[in-house]
Amino acid sequence: MILYERPNGLRLFFALRGSILPRIAPSLLTCTLLAVVVTLSHGVLFQWKITLTPVPFSLIGLALAIFLGFRNSTAYDRYWEARGLWGQMVESSRTLARQWLSLVRPLEDSVPGRQRHGDFVRRCIAHAHLVRHQLRGSAPGAELARLIGPEEAAAAQRLRLPSEALLRRNAELLGEALAQGRVAPALAAEIDRSLAALTHAHAGCERLRGTPIPFAYMLLLHRTAYLYCFLLPFGLIDQLGFMTPFVVAIVAYTFFGLDALGDEIEQPFGLSAHHLPLDALCRIIEIDLLEALGEPAPAPLQAVDGCLH
Amino acid sequence: MILYERPNGLRLFFALRGSILPRIAPSLLTCTLLAVVVTLSHGVLFQWKITLTPVPFSLIGLALAIFLGFRNSTAYDRYWEARGLWGQMVESSRTLARQWLSLVRPLEDSVPGRQRHGDFVRRCIAHAHLVRHQLRGSAPGAELARLIGPEEAAAAQRLRLPSEALLRRNAELLGEALAQGRVAPALAAEIDRSLAALTHAHAGCERLRGTPIPFAYMLLLHRTAYLYCFLLPFGLIDQLGFMTPFVVAIVAYTFFGLDALGDEIEQPFGLSAHHLPLDALCRIIEIDLLEALGEPAPAPLQAVDGCLH
Amino acid sequence: MILYERPNGLRLFFALRGSILPRIAPSLLTCTLLAVVVTLSHGVLFQWKITLTPVPFSLIGLALAIFLGFRNSTAYDRYWEARGLWGQMVESSRTLARQWLSLVRPLEDSVPGRQRHGDFVRRCIAHAHLVRHQLRGSAPGAELARLIGPEEAAAAQRLRLPSEALLRRNAELLGEALAQGRVAPALAAEIDRSLAALTHAHAGCERLRGTPIPFAYMLLLHRTAYLYCFLLPFGLIDQLGFMTPFVVAIVAYTFFGLDALGDEIEQPFGLSAHHLPLDALCRIIEIDLLEALGEPAPAPLQAVDGCLH
Amino acid sequence: MILYERPNGLRLFFALRGSILPRIAPSLLTCTLLAVVVTLSHGVLFQWKITLTPVPFSLIGLALAIFLGFRNSTAYDRYWEARGLWGQMVESSRTLARQWLSLVRPLEDSVPGRQRHGDFVRRCIAHAHLVRHQLRGSAPGAELARLIGPEEAAAAQRLRLPSEALLRRNAELLGEALAQGRVAPALAAEIDRSLAALTHAHAGCERLRGTPIPFAYMLLLHRTAYLYCFLLPFGLIDQLGFMTPFVVAIVAYTFFGLDALGDEIEQPFGLSAHHLPLDALCRIIEIDLLEALGEPAPAPLQAVDGCLH
Amino acid sequence: MILYERPNGLRLFFALRGSILPRIAPSLLTCTLLAVVVTLSHGVLFQWKITLTPVPFSLIGLALAIFLGFRNSTAYDRYWEARGLWGQMVESSRTLARQWLSLVRPLEDSVPGRQRHGDFVRRCIAHAHLVRHQLRGSAPGAELARLIGPEEAAAAQRLRLPSEALLRRNAELLGEALAQGRVAPALAAEIDRSLAALTHAHAGCERLRGTPIPFAYMLLLHRTAYLYCFLLPFGLIDQLGFMTPFVVAIVAYTFFGLDALGDEIEQPFGLSAHHLPLDALCRIIEIDLLEALGEPAPAPLQAVDGCLH
């Protein structure tokens, strides 16, 4: 996620950092070059004058506006839903820690007993890290073994869904506390609901990751946008003359840019500059839960070069 | 559901796989042919010059934009709601398994006792399969008898709503566990709520399946779109000349395509390439719940030819 | 609710069944006749040439697009919300039956005792029928007395809100079961919540029925749409000549049709072909609950002439 | 809230009742008069010909469409949210009455004991009346003392938030019933949740009342709409001639009307004809809760002159 | 938040208070000056006639409308979501106070005992203040020590998330009350849920604060809007002549204004005139909770110069 301020004045037009421009440069260049060729040949292609006027573009523009508006809002809604689900990860982890520490009595009321009691909370931190790695397709590092011990870490990673195994282990701890009368059933039910909220947040992220916007939409949209931009110079040349390539470049920049940006943020779990800062969110969960345990916590992650991962 | 990458460059325009083109080919061809005829006759029909200009098309375009935008977002919302309901199937099945295994004591604490205890979880897998079959109007195969035994499978299938019978059977198991003190009431309430969440997800899918977008909307939309596209050549011929059929084909492709795509995804429970991969989702539920039971699980379903069913 | 397939080819344009055309025929005819008169008089009214061009129509079209888009989505949202609330009726009735039968012990564990225990469930069926009748302003028939007995049926119907009396009676049964220790409090709370969900669904339907879209919106929208369509021939005649009435008829058909359709579905509880099939939904509740009781159930209602009421 | 039917035919154009016309008459007249002046002077102002064409109006129209569409949907969403919150008042009051009467045993099982037990329910009626008065800034009348006695009524009204004091008093009654074992804790928790739902509905209404749409939006929108309409005659005069004032009046009517209507319904708690019928809703709560108590209930409020307050 | 009435008549155009005008003045002036230069030179730049017509602006306008509409609704949705989360702070604080005071018995039933019992409620007030300060990046003042004592205040402020420490402390009080049998488990679960609602509201605000609308959107939008407005005079000069700078100024005012307003309200936790009145909301929480305690409460904050902070 990019966090720096919007550049002012002329620098606005030359900022590349955080721009979608590099990604769409090839299409944009091809399109503009075509417009230059059309301008130089005055719209005559192989001795045929292409008889286009601006009219068809406003007709096709109708469908294109619907496509791009839909594309835009759908992609952003997915981005924001993903952010909301991670917000729920943060919130439910905090709530779970608070509930476990204040409403469940430790098995032994001693320093090592309370330490062991905190394993539940540390497993919540590990859960967030595991969900992050599953969403990014990366392998968890040493933090997992540090938080839940090497054995449980290894066992969990043999499964398709390691994070869920951690929740099951915490649910077993809850079941034991319940059987031993260390927590009242009504409050165990609350804690169980917080565990379910973590399952919910994770399943929601998986859903976003596994279900792209239907392919045929994208195909329809891309075809329309490309046809529109590549035909545009023929429609403008008679009116605009030498300004044609310039106008085509602006129009293509907005249409291709909007589309490429949608591609970026509709799957917001990656490591691109436009994706969600899952590392930083996991660190926040780690800090908050360690603070709840009264243990020393690391510092929040800082943006590097204006970008938080 | 189609999972392959968007084709690049020229291949974008010739990809048929996953395109809506085959479905709309007849209308599109008719429309383009008419445009060719109009172009050759210069807009004169039976010696009458049809005096249309682009103006009426921007007026009708107003209503058409509202229809198509509405169509588009409604169809996608239904698609996404359906996906969300299946997301809830996945999530609530996982939660239910976790709750049952960690919060309810088996009747007998022996290997066969724990095995029988797991029947509850296997019935959740069978429930997902049954919901899938009910939504697709297909008959469940051997997996049902394998999971819940041939007798219960046969009894359930005699009912209008077999999946609900499985939930009732699980609720009876819960009632027995409660009567025998093997689960605290407050936690039994939580488990009951997870059962209700499965009923909710199923009823939501049924609702989507049984309630199409009002028929009169579709009629109004189709009539307007067809009239628009079939009259369009008369309005463009005087300005665009021999480019008319080309422009008409593009406009008709976007309008018919958008409409046909809506038809496909507004009922997303079928077996078309654009529908939801219910087979794959049921397999995921099966894997996750078998992992929770500690039993060997099959591999996730893989996309065949870029398509997951 | 209309359930038949969309007609193909030319039949698309001549289908009257399920079309909104009959309802808007008078306005549409008036408007088209005026366009014919204007065409014959070349836009001269009482020797005054009405100097309109297409320009004002694109300006007014701006406001009209906002109105019609808003109208459209609001009406459909109401329709879909109403359907969702009835989905909740179906779902909560099923859940309630499952909860009552599996989590509450009958007063007497005998055949007549279990039969009496089922009264709770039969009252849920009666509740759905009563809500349907209240929403449609019709009087419940013999089904009520059959389900809950003639005395209770008569007593309930003397009240303003008979359906709520049934829920109160069920809540009393729940209170008795609780007092007699036949259900644990935590589970009684769950059952109470399902009763509250029925109250919620009913109150939501009442809200939709009692609160139309603000009248002044409708007035503004109708006035704008009528002025637009009645003035349109004067703006088109100079460009389109004898095609004017044809174009005016298409434009008026889409605008009036969209508006009339909104009128139909914004109050979806009636008996028109576009309304929700409450009879069929009540039958589904009846079947599912009788299946839960293990009693013989009637067949689902079938569409008559493509239409389900 | 206006409840009468839409007028038909010509009466549609002359209906003033329920129209937004009286409110926007001054601006509309000024604007039309200016258009008449411009028409008579052929767009020459102090001997300068104002060189406007329709083009700028379609450019500014772009922003105006965004503003008005946003204005429209935001105002209606607020209206509908307010209605939904009052729907929750109705629903939660009913649920609360049902819960209290069926799940909590009276302190004394005698006629006066049951009478006193019903005070809880009567206080719920009083709560609805108080919320209505707080939202409308009016003083509660005799109904408050009649429902909860003069002392409690006087004490509550000394506070900033009298309605909340009633909920606290009911919560105390619940606490007493709980301490005396007249209600099981799990069901007391349900009842407490219904009290919280009333707090939620009230806080939501307060939020709508206290937080208008940001002022700068309104300023931007009004300035754009006024500039648009006041400049419009200069842009149309060359094309439309003597029809200019007529077109300007229609455009101004739709834009000013849409805006004024938004002003009316974005704060829907007042006593205007377009506001929510809070009196009628409170009466409905009163009837339903008295029916639950088995006491005689007044008749529902009827629309006076087509309008319900 | 600005609370004054909309100015009428001509004052509408000269109101600066609450306008977005001062913020966009530099860009607006630059743009208008350029338009004046273009008008004086008749669109000739360095002896080149810039051959632009209005056509490209309607094409680019398509993308711009999508951007600005999206910008507008996203920014307002964030604003409204933030307001809703603070609404939840108000509501859950009230509910928490009601629950604690009516459902949990004080440790000692004496005046100082009840006084100490109220510490829980005072800590809720302090929580709201702390959340406000965390969102605004300001340091809490003396009110914190006054409410929860200097020691706890100092300890909390050493943490990254001081507000959460207060909720944990309240949860400990709840755990103690539960262990001492002063509250039934089912009701403790309700109170715990209200604590979780406060965590939810706070985490939601943090999420809004920490996750801006993706940077690349803003860049794309700003570039398009600036290019549009700076090129506009070249497209209009041939048609509009000396009116060009005037029209450009209006168009630029609406586009830049809409964009700047979005910037203001998408992060609504600051101290600008368009931001949410967090001070006033915290004061409302303080009043309501002190009223619940039966202690004297301060007066609500009043708008200063029409503005509430």
Side-chain angles (χ1 to χ4, degrees):
Chain A
M1 200 176 55
I2 296 172
L3 286 176
Y4 43 78
E5 287 294 298
R6 149 154 79 115
N8 278 319
L10 276 177
R11 266 168 306 157
L12 173 65
F13 293 98
F14 297 106
L16 281 179
R17 219 176 36 157
S19 167
I20 203 73
L21 204 55
R23 201 181 145 136
I24 60 170
S27 308
L28 192 51
L29 271 178
T30 315
C31 192
T32 311
L33 274 177
L34 176 65
V36 169
V37 170
V38 168
T39 307
L40 295 177
S41 74
H42 295 280
V44 179
L45 215 70
F46 309 118
Q47 311 205 313
W48 279 76
K49 170 71 184 171
I50 304 297
T51 51
L52 283 176
T53 67
V55 164
F57 296 95
S58 69
L59 299 182
I60 308 176
L62 181 73
L64 201 56
I66 296 172
F67 284 139
L68 283 175
F70 166 73
R71 170 86 176 118
N72 202 21
S73 58
T74 310
Y76 180 75
D77 286 352
R78 290 170 62 100
Y79 177 83
W80 195 239
E81 185 182 356
R83 183 59 187 85
L85 289 166
W86 270 88
Q88 196 177 19
M89 291 282 291
V90 171
E91 170 199 335
S92 297
S93 300
R94 275 183 206 162
T95 296
L96 206 43
R98 179 174 52 67
Q99 289 171 328
W100 183 257
L101 296 175
S102 65
L103 302 173
V104 182
R105 275 189 304 282
L107 189 52
E108 299 160 59
D109 196 8
S110 60
V111 172
R114 275 194 295 273
Q115 174 73 15
R116 252 199 310 282
H117 194 60
D119 283 353
F120 183 98
V121 176
R122 273 180 287 274
R123 196 170 285 110
C124 292
I125 305 174
H127 175 261
H129 284 298
L130 267 177
V131 168
R132 169 170 65 95
H133 284 299
Q134 284 164 230
L135 290 172
R136 289 193 162 159
S138 57
E143 76 267 37
L144 203 61
R146 176 171 53 79
L147 286 160
I148 56 171
E151 279 167 53
E152 190 178 343
Q157 286 182 266
R158 275 193 293 274
L159 300 175
R160 193 192 79 85
L161 215 58
S163 61
E164 200 65 22
L166 268 60
L167 295 186
R168 281 197 299 268
R169 179 68 194 129
N170 267 358
E172 278 168 29
L173 290 183
L174 178 64
E176 286 167 20
L178 188 66
Q180 292 157 357
R182 293 187 282 122
V183 60
L187 292 152
E190 281 307 294
I191 296 173
D192 180 77
R193 201 171 298 174
S194 298
L195 289 171
L198 290 179
T199 295
H200 172 78
H202 179 201
C205 291
E206 264 187 276
R207 170 168 50 81
L208 284 166
R209 188 172 182 249
T211 314
I213 295 172
F215 179 78
Y217 266 119
M218 293 299 97
L219 205 59
L220 206 55
L221 165 58
H222 289 129
R223 282 179 180 169
T224 313
Y226 275 76
L227 277 172
Y228 186 97
C229 291
F230 282 107
L231 290 176
L232 189 55
F234 298 102
L236 295 181
I237 179 67
D238 288 344
Q239 285 202 17
L240 301 190
F242 78 97
M243 288 298 283
T244 302
F246 191 64
V247 168
V248 168
I250 297 179
V251 170
Y253 172 59
T254 56
F255 287 177
F256 294 170
L258 191 49
D259 180 36
L261 193 48
D263 265 10
E264 285 273 311
I265 70 171
E266 80 166 31
Q267 291 286 7
F269 298 121
L271 283 162
S272 124
H274 305 295
H275 289 170
L276 289 173
L278 301 194
D279 288 3
L281 288 166
C282 283
R283 176 65 64 90
I284 280 184
I285 292 175
E286 184 150 8
I287 297 171
D288 294 347
L289 267 54
L290 290 177
E291 278 192 352
L293 285 170
E295 297 181 7
L301 282 186
Q302 296 301 323
V304 175
D305 205 17
C307 187
L308 207 58
H309 282 294
Chain B
M1 199 176 56
I2 296 172
L3 286 177
Y4 43 80
E5 286 295 298
R6 148 153 81 115
N8 277 319
L10 276 178
R11 265 167 308 157
L12 172 65
F13 292 97
F14 298 105
L16 281 180
R17 219 176 36 157
S19 167
I20 203 73
L21 204 53
R23 201 182 145 134
I24 59 170
S27 309
L28 192 51
L29 271 178
T30 315
C31 192
T32 312
L33 274 177
L34 176 66
V36 169
V37 169
V38 169
T39 306
L40 295 177
S41 75
H42 295 281
V44 179
L45 215 69
F46 308 118
Q47 309 206 315
W48 280 76
K49 170 70 184 173
I50 303 298
T51 51
L52 283 176
T53 67
V55 163
F57 296 95
S58 67
L59 299 182
I60 307 176
L62 181 73
L64 202 56
I66 295 172
F67 284 139
L68 284 174
F70 166 74
R71 170 86 176 117
N72 202 19
S73 59
T74 310
Y76 180 76
D77 286 352
R78 289 170 64 100
Y79 177 82
W80 195 239
E81 186 182 355
R83 182 59 187 84
L85 290 166
W86 269 88
Q88 196 178 18
M89 291 283 290
V90 172
E91 169 199 335
S92 297
S93 300
R94 275 184 206 162
T95 296
L96 205 44
R98 179 174 52 66
Q99 288 171 328
W100 183 258
L101 295 175
S102 64
L103 302 173
V104 182
R105 277 190 303 282
L107 189 52
E108 300 160 58
D109 196 7
S110 60
V111 172
R114 275 193 295 274
Q115 174 72 14
R116 250 198 313 281
H117 194 61
D119 283 352
F120 184 98
V121 176
R122 274 180 286 273
R123 195 170 286 110
C124 292
I125 305 174
H127 175 261
H129 284 298
L130 267 178
V131 169
R132 169 170 64 94
H133 284 298
Q134 284 165 231
L135 289 173
R136 289 193 163 160
S138 56
E143 76 267 37
L144 202 61
R146 176 171 52 78
L147 286 161
I148 56 170
E151 278 166 55
E152 190 178 344
Q157 286 182 263
R158 275 192 293 273
L159 300 176
R160 194 193 77 86
L161 214 59
S163 62
E164 200 64 22
L166 269 59
L167 295 187
R168 280 197 297 268
R169 179 67 195 128
N170 267 358
E172 280 169 27
L173 291 183
L174 178 65
E176 288 168 19
L178 189 66
Q180 293 157 357
R182 293 187 283 124
V183 60
L187 293 152
E190 282 307 294
I191 296 173
D192 181 77
R193 200 171 299 173
S194 297
L195 289 171
L198 290 179
T199 295
H200 172 78
H202 179 202
C205 291
E206 264 187 277
R207 171 168 50 83
L208 284 166
R209 188 172 182 248
T211 315
I213 295 173
F215 178 78
Y217 266 118
M218 293 298 97
L219 205 59
L220 205 56
L221 166 57
H222 290 129
R223 282 179 180 169
T224 312
Y226 275 75
L227 277 172
Y228 187 97
C229 291
F230 282 106
L231 291 176
L232 190 55
F234 298 102
L236 296 180
I237 179 68
D238 288 344
Q239 284 203 18
L240 301 189
F242 77 97
M243 287 299 282
T244 302
F246 191 64
V247 168
V248 168
I250 297 179
V251 170
Y253 172 59
T254 56
F255 286 177
F256 293 170
L258 190 50
D259 180 37
L261 193 48
D263 265 10
E264 284 274 311
I265 69 171
E266 80 166 31
Q267 290 286 9
F269 298 121
L271 283 162
S272 124
H274 305 296
H275 289 171
L276 289 173
L278 301 193
D279 288 3
L281 287 165
C282 282
R283 176 64 64 91
I284 280 184
I285 291 175
E286 184 150 7
I287 297 170
D288 294 347
L289 267 54
L290 291 176
E291 278 192 353
L293 285 170
E295 296 181 7
L301 283 185
Q302 296 301 324
V304 175
D305 204 17
C307 188
L308 206 59
H309 283 293
Chain C
M1 200 176 56
I2 297 172
L3 286 177
Y4 43 79
E5 286 295 297
R6 148 154 80 116
N8 278 318
L10 276 178
R11 266 168 307 158
L12 173 65
F13 292 98
F14 297 106
L16 281 180
R17 219 174 39 156
S19 168
I20 203 73
L21 204 53
R23 201 182 144 134
I24 61 170
S27 308
L28 192 52
L29 271 178
T30 316
C31 192
T32 311
L33 274 177
L34 176 66
V36 169
V37 170
V38 169
T39 306
L40 295 176
S41 75
H42 296 281
V44 179
L45 215 69
F46 310 117
Q47 310 204 313
W48 279 76
K49 170 71 184 172
I50 303 297
T51 50
L52 282 176
T53 68
V55 164
F57 296 95
S58 67
L59 298 183
I60 308 177
L62 181 73
L64 202 56
I66 297 172
F67 285 139
L68 283 174
F70 166 74
R71 169 87 176 117
N72 201 20
S73 58
T74 309
Y76 180 74
D77 285 352
R78 289 170 63 100
Y79 178 82
W80 196 238
E81 185 182 355
R83 182 60 187 84
L85 289 165
W86 269 89
Q88 196 177 18
M89 291 283 290
V90 172
E91 170 199 335
S92 297
S93 299
R94 274 183 207 162
T95 296
L96 205 43
R98 178 174 53 65
Q99 288 171 329
W100 183 259
L101 296 175
S102 65
L103 302 173
V104 181
R105 276 188 304 283
L107 189 52
E108 299 161 59
D109 196 7
S110 60
V111 172
R114 274 192 296 273
Q115 174 73 14
R116 250 197 314 280
H117 194 61
D119 283 353
F120 184 98
V121 176
R122 273 180 287 272
R123 195 170 285 110
C124 292
I125 305 174
H127 175 261
H129 283 298
L130 266 178
V131 169
R132 168 169 66 93
H133 284 298
Q134 284 165 231
L135 290 173
R136 289 192 163 161
S138 55
E143 76 267 38
L144 203 61
R146 175 171 52 78
L147 287 160
I148 57 172
E151 278 166 56
E152 190 178 344
Q157 287 182 264
R158 275 192 294 274
L159 300 176
R160 194 192 77 85
L161 215 58
S163 62
E164 199 65 21
L166 269 60
L167 296 187
R168 280 197 300 267
R169 179 68 195 127
N170 267 358
E172 278 168 29
L173 290 182
L174 179 65
E176 287 167 19
L178 188 67
Q180 292 157 355
R182 292 188 282 123
V183 60
L187 293 151
E190 281 308 294
I191 296 172
D192 180 78
R193 200 171 299 175
S194 298
L195 289 172
L198 290 179
T199 296
H200 172 78
H202 179 201
C205 291
E206 263 186 278
R207 171 169 48 83
L208 284 166
R209 188 171 182 251
T211 315
I213 296 173
F215 179 78
Y217 266 119
M218 294 298 96
L219 205 59
L220 206 56
L221 165 58
H222 290 129
R223 283 178 180 169
T224 312
Y226 276 76
L227 277 172
Y228 187 97
C229 291
F230 282 106
L231 290 176
L232 190 54
F234 298 102
L236 295 180
I237 179 67
D238 288 344
Q239 284 203 18
L240 302 189
F242 78 96
M243 287 298 283
T244 301
F246 191 63
V247 168
V248 168
I250 298 179
V251 170
Y253 172 59
T254 55
F255 286 177
F256 294 170
L258 190 49
D259 180 36
L261 193 47
D263 266 9
E264 284 274 311
I265 69 171
E266 80 167 31
Q267 290 286 10
F269 298 121
L271 283 162
S272 124
H274 305 295
H275 289 169
L276 289 173
L278 300 193
D279 288 2
L281 288 166
C282 282
R283 176 65 63 91
I284 280 184
I285 291 175
E286 184 150 6
I287 297 170
D288 294 347
L289 266 54
L290 291 177
E291 278 190 354
L293 284 170
E295 296 181 7
L301 283 185
Q302 297 301 323
V304 175
D305 204 16
C307 187
L308 206 59
H309 282 294
Chain D
M1 200 175 56
I2 296 172
L3 286 177
Y4 42 79
E5 287 294 297
R6 149 153 80 115
N8 278 319
L10 276 177
R11 266 168 307 157
L12 173 65
F13 293 97
F14 297 106
L16 280 181
R17 219 175 37 156
S19 167
I20 202 73
L21 203 54
R23 201 182 144 132
I24 60 170
S27 309
L28 192 52
L29 271 178
T30 316
C31 192
T32 311
L33 274 177
L34 176 66
V36 170
V37 170
V38 169
T39 306
L40 295 177
S41 74
H42 296 281
V44 180
L45 214 69
F46 310 116
Q47 312 204 313
W48 279 78
K49 170 71 185 172
I50 303 298
T51 50
L52 283 175
T53 67
V55 164
F57 296 94
S58 68
L59 299 183
I60 307 176
L62 181 73
L64 201 57
I66 297 173
F67 285 137
L68 284 174
F70 166 74
R71 170 86 175 117
N72 201 21
S73 58
T74 309
Y76 180 75
D77 286 352
R78 289 169 64 101
Y79 178 82
W80 195 240
E81 186 182 355
R83 182 61 187 84
L85 289 166
W86 269 89
Q88 197 177 17
M89 291 282 291
V90 172
E91 169 199 336
S92 297
S93 300
R94 275 183 205 163
T95 296
L96 205 44
R98 178 174 53 66
Q99 289 171 329
W100 182 258
L101 296 175
S102 65
L103 302 173
V104 181
R105 276 190 304 284
L107 189 52
E108 300 161 57
D109 196 7
S110 60
V111 172
R114 275 193 295 274
Q115 174 73 13
R116 250 198 312 282
H117 195 61
D119 283 352
F120 183 97
V121 176
R122 274 180 287 273
R123 195 170 285 110
C124 292
I125 305 174
H127 175 261
H129 283 298
L130 267 178
V131 168
R132 169 170 65 93
H133 284 299
Q134 285 165 231
L135 290 173
R136 289 191 164 162
S138 55
E143 76 267 37
L144 202 62
R146 175 172 52 78
L147 287 161
I148 56 171
E151 279 166 56
E152 190 177 345
Q157 286 181 265
R158 275 193 293 273
L159 299 176
R160 194 192 78 85
L161 215 58
S163 62
E164 200 65 21
L166 269 60
L167 295 187
R168 281 197 299 266
R169 179 68 194 129
N170 267 358
E172 279 167 29
L173 290 182
L174 178 65
E176 287 167 19
L178 189 66
Q180 293 157 355
R182 293 187 282 124
V183 59
L187 293 152
E190 281 308 294
I191 296 173
D192 180 77
R193 201 172 299 175
S194 298
L195 288 171
L198 290 179
T199 295
H200 172 78
H202 179 200
C205 291
E206 263 186 278
R207 171 169 49 83
L208 284 165
R209 188 172 182 250
T211 315
I213 296 172
F215 179 78
Y217 266 118
M218 294 298 97
L219 205 58
L220 205 55
L221 165 57
H222 290 129
R223 283 180 179 167
T224 313
Y226 276 76
L227 277 172
Y228 186 97
C229 291
F230 282 106
L231 291 176
L232 190 55
F234 298 102
L236 296 180
I237 179 68
D238 288 344
Q239 285 202 16
L240 302 189
F242 77 96
M243 287 298 283
T244 302
F246 191 64
V247 168
V248 168
I250 297 180
V251 170
Y253 172 60
T254 55
F255 287 178
F256 294 169
L258 191 49
D259 179 35
L261 193 48
D263 265 10
E264 285 273 312
I265 69 171
E266 80 167 30
Q267 290 286 7
F269 298 121
L271 283 162
S272 125
H274 306 295
H275 289 170
L276 290 173
L278 300 193
D279 288 3
L281 288 165
C282 282
R283 176 65 64 91
I284 280 184
I285 291 175
E286 185 150 6
I287 297 170
D288 294 347
L289 265 55
L290 290 175
E291 279 192 352
L293 285 170
E295 297 181 6
L301 283 185
Q302 297 300 325
V304 176
D305 204 17
C307 187
L308 206 59
H309 282 295
Chain E
M1 199 174 58
I2 296 172
L3 286 177
Y4 42 79
E5 287 294 297
R6 150 155 79 115
N8 278 319
L10 276 178
R11 266 169 306 157
L12 173 65
F13 292 98
F14 297 105
L16 280 180
R17 221 179 32 160
S19 167
I20 202 73
L21 203 55
R23 201 181 144 134
I24 60 169
S27 308
L28 192 51
L29 271 178
T30 316
C31 192
T32 311
L33 274 177
L34 176 65
V36 170
V37 170
V38 168
T39 306
L40 295 177
S41 74
H42 296 280
V44 180
L45 215 69
F46 309 116
Q47 311 204 315
W48 279 77
K49 170 72 183 171
I50 303 297
T51 50
L52 282 176
T53 67
V55 164
F57 296 95
S58 68
L59 299 182
I60 308 176
L62 181 72
L64 201 56
I66 296 173
F67 284 138
L68 283 175
F70 165 74
R71 170 86 175 118
N72 201 20
S73 58
T74 310
Y76 180 75
D77 285 352
R78 290 169 63 100
Y79 178 82
W80 195 240
E81 185 182 355
R83 183 60 187 84
L85 289 166
W86 269 88
Q88 196 177 19
M89 292 282 292
V90 171
E91 169 198 337
S92 298
S93 300
R94 275 183 205 163
T95 296
L96 205 43
R98 179 174 52 67
Q99 288 170 329
W100 182 258
L101 295 175
S102 64
L103 302 172
V104 182
R105 276 189 304 283
L107 189 51
E108 300 160 58
D109 196 8
S110 60
V111 172
R114 275 193 296 273
Q115 174 74 13
R116 252 200 309 283
H117 194 60
D119 283 353
F120 183 97
V121 176
R122 273 179 288 272
R123 195 171 285 109
C124 293
I125 305 173
H127 175 262
H129 284 298
L130 267 178
V131 168
R132 169 170 64 94
H133 284 298
Q134 284 165 231
L135 290 172
R136 289 192 163 160
S138 56
E143 75 267 38
L144 203 62
R146 175 171 53 79
L147 286 160
I148 56 171
E151 278 167 54
E152 190 178 344
Q157 286 181 265
R158 275 192 293 274
L159 300 175
R160 194 192 77 85
L161 214 59
S163 62
E164 200 65 21
L166 268 60
L167 295 186
R168 281 197 299 268
R169 179 67 195 129
N170 267 358
E172 278 168 29
L173 290 183
L174 179 65
E176 286 167 21
L178 188 66
Q180 292 158 356
R182 293 187 282 125
V183 60
L187 292 152
E190 281 307 293
I191 296 172
D192 180 78
R193 201 171 299 174
S194 298
L195 288 172
L198 290 179
T199 295
H200 171 78
H202 179 201
C205 290
E206 264 187 277
R207 171 168 50 81
L208 285 166
R209 188 172 182 249
T211 315
I213 296 172
F215 179 78
Y217 265 119
M218 294 298 97
L219 206 58
L220 206 55
L221 165 57
H222 290 129
R223 282 180 179 168
T224 312
Y226 276 75
L227 277 172
Y228 186 97
C229 290
F230 282 106
L231 290 176
L232 190 54
F234 298 102
L236 296 181
I237 180 67
D238 289 344
Q239 285 202 16
L240 302 190
F242 78 98
M243 288 298 283
T244 302
F246 191 64
V247 168
V248 168
I250 297 179
V251 170
Y253 172 59
T254 56
F255 287 178
F256 293 169
L258 190 50
D259 180 35
L261 194 48
D263 265 10
E264 285 273 312
I265 70 170
E266 80 166 31
Q267 290 286 6
F269 298 122
L271 283 162
S272 124
H274 305 294
H275 289 170
L276 290 173
L278 301 194
D279 288 3
L281 287 165
C282 282
R283 176 65 64 90
I284 280 184
I285 292 176
E286 185 151 5
I287 297 170
D288 294 347
L289 266 54
L290 290 177
E291 279 191 352
L293 285 170
E295 297 182 6
L301 282 186
Q302 297 301 324
V304 175
D305 204 17
C307 187
L308 206 59
H309 283 294

